[in-house]
Amino acid sequence: MESYEAVCILNAGEQDAEIRITVFYEDRDPVGPYCFSVAARRTRHLRFNDFTDPQAIPRGTAFASVIESNVPVVVQHTRLDSRQEANALLSTMAFPAS
Amino acid sequence: MESYEAVCILNAGEQDAEIRITVFYEDRDPVGPYCFSVAARRTRHLRFNDFTDPQAIPRGTAFASVIESNVPVVVQHTRLDSRQEANALLSTMAFPAS
Amino acid sequence: MESYEAVCILNAGEQDAEIRITVFYEDRDPVGPYCFSVAARRTRHLRFNDFTDPQAIPRGTAFASVIESNVPVVVQHTRLDSRQEANALLSTMAFPAS
Amino acid sequence: MESYEAVCILNAGEQDAEIRITVFYEDRDPVGPYCFSVAARRTRHLRFNDFTDPQAIPRGTAFASVIESNVPVVVQHTRLDSRQEANALLSTMAFPAS
């Protein structure tokens, strides 16, 4: 298994969600938005490694993200760290900003 | 140990809790409600693998859940990933929706 | 290392905190309060395995806890699962109840 | 890999953040503030092991921290425990105090 960072987005509502993700770095300007949709009453996994537009996220670079949605969604962030023999999984709920 | 996802529900109040869980998928309609009760002043573990009514949750499928209760409860979600030699445990508190 | 569950309590304020912990079980009445103090401007770790008064917590039993304080504190819950070769650590912030 | 505790701070706003961290111990007075800045629209990792001013944090000592900022930021706390063969990662979002 390869290391990855991912978000799982739950749209429990009746309206499709338009998601805009902005990625922040330590030493250069933020990049984005990366745009996705999550259909009504669906969940969707997004892996940051798969992001390509407007540009790929460099591997091995620390980053943070802000996730905006036009409708209420719930976001869980997961990281799989496979640099060691035993993978480490960590997960946090996204911090809700009003 | 088998991989599993579970929720631990704490009902610290004096009234029994009627719990309704709806499971959301990536590419099909949500299923539910799965109904459980948690007695007053009790805690209860529920494993998603054990859910059967209205239908079992397919193994190896990504899903998310919304948990509704008629009284205030606290929900902790835990996942044991045993695909590797060393199990990984992750846990998050459920996001409270008003 | 032995498996354990612990809470780390931070009292960042200027007044000592009187902490009351009630432990909830799946199939019997809650037990408590277990009483502790956390001095002003101090942090304190409490291991549930060390609780003795009013009664010890049975090993291998699922439980949940409610933590009350007379002043604002921050609580982090940690579990070390050493049943396997590689220990698993999980941690969540306590859910704040008003 | 060496064990460490770190915080990742995201400043998604347009104004630089002045960060003040106070470290709390179990049996002595808190130490701080440790002062850092996080530029506007940047993220920054801080390892507690690197803190030197006003004083280093003793290794192997339990501590907690309060993080203050002059502008809104998001803080994720991560701990890597390398005392065992398989590293354990744990992460929690900082608890927001008003």
Side-chain angles (χ1 to χ4, degrees):
Chain A
M1 281 187 280
E2 190 183 17
S3 292
Y4 67 82
E5 305 228 10
V7 284
C8 177
I9 300 173
L10 168 60
N11 178 10
E14 298 296 328
Q15 187 187 339
D16 292 356
E18 299 307 322
I19 307 289
R20 294 161 54 94
I21 300 179
T22 305
V23 175
F24 291 79
Y25 294 97
E26 291 187 308
D27 48 16
R28 59 192 183 103
D29 280 346
V31 176
Y34 298 87
C35 298
F36 304 92
S37 64
V38 182
R41 309 201 307 158
R42 292 290 186 277
T43 184
R44 185 167 176 191
H45 275 77
L46 300 173
R47 290 195 180 205
F48 288 98
N49 285 349
D50 297 336
F51 287 14
T52 55
D53 181 16
Q55 66 185 241
I57 296 174
R59 302 293 172 103
T61 301
F63 66 90
S65 56
V66 168
I67 299 170
E68 296 168 288
S69 173
N70 63 329
V71 296
V73 294
V74 178
V75 177
Q76 185 179 12
H77 184 272
T78 303
R79 179 147 66 100
L80 174 72
D81 183 341
S82 62
R83 289 172 301 180
Q84 53 181 0
E85 209 171 311
N87 295 318
L89 264 175
L90 69 80
S91 186
T92 56
M93 300 307 290
F95 183 78
S98 61
Chain B
M1 281 188 280
E2 190 184 17
S3 292
Y4 67 83
E5 306 229 9
V7 284
C8 175
I9 301 173
L10 168 60
N11 178 11
E14 299 296 328
Q15 187 187 338
D16 293 356
E18 300 306 322
I19 306 289
R20 293 161 54 95
I21 300 180
T22 304
V23 175
F24 291 79
Y25 295 96
E26 291 187 308
D27 48 16
R28 60 192 183 102
D29 281 346
V31 176
Y34 297 87
C35 297
F36 305 91
S37 64
V38 182
R41 310 203 306 158
R42 291 291 185 278
T43 185
R44 185 169 176 188
H45 274 77
L46 300 174
R47 290 196 180 205
F48 289 98
N49 285 349
D50 297 337
F51 287 13
T52 55
D53 180 16
Q55 66 183 241
I57 296 174
R59 303 292 172 101
T61 302
F63 67 89
S65 56
V66 168
I67 299 170
E68 296 167 289
S69 173
N70 63 328
V71 295
V73 294
V74 178
V75 177
Q76 185 179 11
H77 184 273
T78 303
R79 179 148 66 101
L80 174 73
D81 184 340
S82 61
R83 289 172 300 180
Q84 52 180 1
E85 210 171 312
N87 296 318
L89 265 175
L90 69 80
S91 185
T92 56
M93 300 307 290
F95 183 79
S98 60
Chain C
M1 281 189 280
E2 190 184 18
S3 293
Y4 67 83
E5 307 227 10
V7 284
C8 176
I9 301 173
L10 169 60
N11 178 11
E14 299 295 328
Q15 188 187 338
D16 293 356
E18 300 306 322
I19 306 289
R20 293 161 55 94
I21 301 180
T22 305
V23 175
F24 291 80
Y25 295 97
E26 291 185 309
D27 48 16
R28 58 192 184 104
D29 280 345
V31 176
Y34 297 87
C35 297
F36 305 91
S37 64
V38 182
R41 309 203 306 157
R42 291 292 184 277
T43 185
R44 184 167 176 190
H45 273 78
L46 300 173
R47 290 195 181 204
F48 289 98
N49 285 348
D50 297 336
F51 288 13
T52 55
D53 181 15
Q55 65 184 240
I57 296 174
R59 303 293 172 100
T61 302
F63 66 90
S65 57
V66 168
I67 298 170
E68 296 167 288
S69 173
N70 63 328
V71 297
V73 295
V74 178
V75 177
Q76 185 179 11
H77 184 272
T78 303
R79 179 148 66 101
L80 174 73
D81 183 340
S82 62
R83 289 173 299 182
Q84 52 179 0
E85 210 170 313
N87 295 318
L89 265 174
L90 69 82
S91 186
T92 57
M93 300 307 290
F95 183 80
S98 61
Chain D
M1 282 187 279
E2 190 184 16
S3 293
Y4 66 83
E5 305 227 12
V7 285
C8 177
I9 300 174
L10 168 61
N11 178 10
E14 298 296 328
Q15 188 187 338
D16 293 355
E18 300 307 322
I19 306 288
R20 294 160 54 95
I21 300 180
T22 305
V23 175
F24 290 80
Y25 294 97
E26 291 186 308
D27 48 15
R28 58 191 183 104
D29 279 346
V31 176
Y34 298 87
C35 297
F36 304 91
S37 64
V38 182
R41 308 202 308 157
R42 292 291 184 277
T43 185
R44 184 166 176 192
H45 274 78
L46 300 173
R47 290 195 180 206
F48 289 98
N49 285 348
D50 296 337
F51 287 14
T52 55
D53 182 15
Q55 65 184 240
I57 296 174
R59 302 294 172 101
T61 301
F63 66 91
S65 57
V66 168
I67 298 170
E68 295 168 288
S69 173
N70 64 328
V71 296
V73 294
V74 178
V75 177
Q76 185 179 12
H77 183 273
T78 302
R79 179 147 66 100
L80 175 72
D81 183 341
S82 62
R83 291 173 298 180
Q84 53 179 359
E85 209 170 312
N87 295 318
L89 265 174
L90 68 81
S91 185
T92 56
M93 300 307 289
F95 183 79
S98 61

